[in-house]
Amino acid sequence: MLGYVIVQYRVLGAQAEGVLGDYFLAALVLMYTGTVAEWGLGTLLTREVARERDDTGDVARRFRQTLSLRLGLAGLMALPVALFVAVYLAFFGLSEAGAWAVAILTLSLLPSAVSGSVTAVLYAYERMSLPAVIGIGTAVLNVALGLLFVLTGWGVLGLALAALLSTVATAVVFWAIMRRNYPDVASARPEQGLSRTAAVALLSDGWPLMLNALLVGLFFRVDQFIIKPVAGGLAVEQYNAAYSYLNFLLIITPAVTLALFPRMARHAVSDRRRLAYEYALALRVMLILSVPLVALTFWFAPLLVSIVTGGKEGYLPESAVALRILIFFLPLSFVNGVTQYVLIALDRQRLITGVFAATVAFNLAVNLVLVPLMGIYGAAITTVLSEVVLLVPFLLYVGRETEPVRLWEVVWRPLLGAVLVAGVMWLTWGLTERWNASAADFGFFLGAGLLPLVLYAVAMVIVRPFTPDEIRAARRS
């Protein structure tokens, strides 16, 4: 994804005005239609198969039903997308190439349904490496095809076609893996297919998860609908330049939570004390990891923005300042991401819906106040505050369902390291101005940015954030 953003800003951004905006719009439509078409069914499939994975017949039935329903939902997305394209072509200046890009990306929902369903089964059997490797291969293929199509003059259509072709290739690979490793599941009998009763049950169970994901999308992207009329198109691109790097970092949360989710789903039924222990351990890992990521992003924000945008004028310092504000939502997002999946493992996803709805309302209200006053900086501040709004009820809900987590024991080590890193960065902050003034000082700037992380690593070794039992358990897993 980060490679795609760099391509977009360096190649499409240099073409006719509005081309880049059309692709952003197409990607945004795909995000929302993909959320609806997925309907939370992947998470449901992983949870249920993880609990009953020794029953091959039950796994086959659930897989076939989930895949059938996801394909049907993906097909239904053609209707609202067609209406959207017609309205935007008629009234909002969407180009013909942009309209075709929306249509092509919508078509990719069909192979995505296959890949997503197979991935859910692999996660349930705790075979995380296969989807990870295939995901890397998909990203490489996507970027390679995108570069090929864009550099040969296909523009927005080229990126959309690259996404479709790479998605189809991924679905073929996943289906081959399913037939080889789980032939009984892949070749489920017709009577194990989707009945009306089963479809209604799946739609009912998945509804809160789909709505939660849709609300998260609104929570993170509603600010752009406010920035556009208030601050203009350039401000949207400046904000996207900052946010694109965060999208890359947010891959970490699903990687950790999905690895833990199958065992959390089992322990939610059989051993709540063990679930609370794994939850606290996951929080500690994520918080310890978040400190160097926040520090590096804050220090190197101008450089990161320059890499994404190709050094084009008009993005600095605004995008870098926005990124330095936004990055403080990362540790909160890590905690909220893990907590959300614990609640889903406990079958309490309906509780999450109300929290997300309240957060979206808060996010919209505060953005309407701060964006006119502070532009993209106001949007960045609102994003951080919104994570706090999510955090409080999430922790309360988990505390009611499991043994209370001793938050101070989870937080004090990464907090100590964060204070140490912040102090060293404050003392060396003058080098930032020197680097901005002269490229010759970049070596000093780089060293000053890495020094706090070395001290942080030493501090973590001294305070020993993990017990010997936890280290042994991690090695076994």
Side-chain angles (χ1 to χ4, degrees):
M1 290 302 296
L2 187 59
Y4 251 122
V5 172
I6 293 172
V7 170
Q8 292 161 18
Y9 275 97
R10 292 182 181 226
V11 180
L12 291 181
Q15 297 179 7
E17 183 178 353
V19 170
L20 190 56
D22 281 349
Y23 188 73
F24 283 152
L25 183 64
L28 192 60
V29 171
L30 178 65
M31 185 187 77
Y32 288 123
T33 55
T35 299
V36 176
E38 202 274 337
W39 204 269
L41 297 174
T43 302
L44 282 179
L45 182 60
T46 297
R47 187 184 71 188
E48 298 306 317
V49 172
R51 292 174 176 175
E52 303 291 341
R53 59 189 187 181
D54 293 331
D55 186 345
T56 304
D58 185 64
V59 172
R61 176 179 58 81
R62 292 184 183 278
F63 172 75
R64 182 64 64 178
Q65 290 175 348
T66 299
L67 177 57
S68 299
L69 186 55
R70 288 189 64 169
L71 288 171
L73 290 170
L76 288 175
M77 290 302 101
L79 296 176
V81 167
L83 178 61
F84 171 87
V85 169
V87 171
Y88 265 70
L89 278 172
F91 301 106
F92 298 105
L94 180 65
S95 66
E96 183 178 344
W100 277 109
V102 173
I104 292 170
L105 290 178
T106 302
L107 189 60
S108 71
L109 293 175
L110 293 169
S112 292
V114 177
S115 300
S117 299
V118 177
T119 298
V121 173
L122 293 174
Y123 281 153
Y125 284 100
E126 299 184 47
R127 301 194 62 179
M128 314 299 175
S129 58
L130 274 175
V133 171
I134 295 171
I136 293 172
T138 301
V140 171
L141 178 61
N142 201 3
V143 172
L145 289 174
L147 279 170
L148 175 64
F149 286 138
V150 169
L151 293 177
T152 53
W154 285 72
V156 169
L157 279 178
L159 291 180
L161 283 170
L164 175 61
L165 293 175
S166 59
T167 305
V168 170
T170 302
V172 171
V173 171
F174 270 119
W175 189 253
I177 290 172
M178 195 70 177
R179 291 184 62 84
R180 184 190 65 188
N181 295 344
Y182 307 102
D184 294 337
V185 177
S187 58
R189 296 185 301 275
E191 59 265 27
Q192 293 175 309
L194 186 67
S195 65
R196 180 176 179 180
T197 302
V200 171
L202 284 172
L203 290 172
S204 176
D205 291 340
W207 163 255
L209 293 173
M210 186 279 293
L211 188 58
N212 294 343
L214 201 59
L215 289 171
V216 168
L218 289 171
F219 161 31
F220 281 119
R221 302 302 293 267
V222 71
D223 46 20
Q224 296 193 42
F225 294 108
I226 300 172
I227 293 171
K228 173 73 172 177
V230 171
L234 178 59
V236 173
E237 292 192 15
Q238 290 170 341
Y239 195 62
N240 267 295
Y243 221 107
S244 298
Y245 176 72
L246 293 185
N247 286 333
F248 176 72
L249 292 181
L250 288 175
I251 297 173
I252 297 171
T253 306
V256 174
T257 54
L258 290 174
L260 293 174
F261 185 60
R263 68 182 69 179
M264 284 181 172
R266 293 194 297 274
H267 292 150
V269 175
S270 60
D271 191 348
R272 294 278 175 101
R273 178 177 295 182
R274 181 68 182 178
L275 176 62
Y277 167 79
E278 291 177 341
Y279 172 54
L281 179 60
L283 290 184
R284 205 181 327 147
V285 171
M286 298 299 280
L287 288 174
I288 289 172
L289 181 61
S290 70
V291 173
L293 291 175
V294 171
L296 284 170
T297 303
F298 191 90
W299 190 264
F300 293 106
L303 178 61
L304 293 170
V305 170
S306 296
I307 291 172
V308 169
T309 62
K312 290 176 58 181
E313 294 184 2
Y315 296 101
L316 292 176
E318 291 83 2
S319 296
V321 174
L323 179 56
R324 282 171 169 159
I325 298 170
L326 281 168
I327 193 58
F328 285 100
F329 100 112
L330 190 69
L332 299 168
S333 176
F334 279 176
V335 173
N336 287 332
V338 175
T339 306
Q340 177 184 353
Y341 272 86
V342 171
L343 289 170
I344 294 171
L346 291 163
D347 202 13
R348 295 294 184 268
Q349 58 266 18
R350 295 182 187 276
L351 295 175
I352 303 172
T353 305
V355 179
F356 275 134
T359 304
V360 169
F362 171 85
N363 187 280
L364 178 60
V366 177
N367 267 310
L368 287 171
V369 174
L370 292 187
V371 170
L373 294 175
M374 305 174 65
I376 63 174
Y377 306 151
I381 292 170
T382 303
T383 298
V384 177
L385 293 177
S386 298
E387 289 289 347
V388 178
V389 173
L390 273 180
L391 178 66
V392 176
F394 271 10
L395 294 178
L396 288 175
Y397 287 150
V398 169
R400 293 175 186 173
E401 298 290 336
T402 66
E403 290 190 355
V405 176
R406 297 178 180 178
L407 288 178
W408 177 246
E409 292 185 3
V410 172
V411 168
W412 78 264
R413 292 176 181 87
L415 182 61
L416 176 65
V419 171
L420 174 64
V421 169
V424 175
M425 290 177 65
W426 179 75
L427 291 173
T428 56
W429 187 249
L431 287 176
T432 303
E433 300 300 328
R434 292 177 60 194
W435 176 68
N436 287 338
S438 172
D441 290 318
F442 179 70
F444 294 101
F445 176 74
L446 180 63
L450 297 179
L451 175 62
L453 302 187
V454 175
L455 297 177
Y456 176 73
V458 173
M460 289 299 102
V461 171
I462 294 173
V463 300
R464 296 182 179 181
F466 305 109
T467 66
D469 289 340
E470 291 170 343
I471 295 174
R472 283 193 294 270
R475 288 173 178 171
R476 286 196 301 270
S477 60

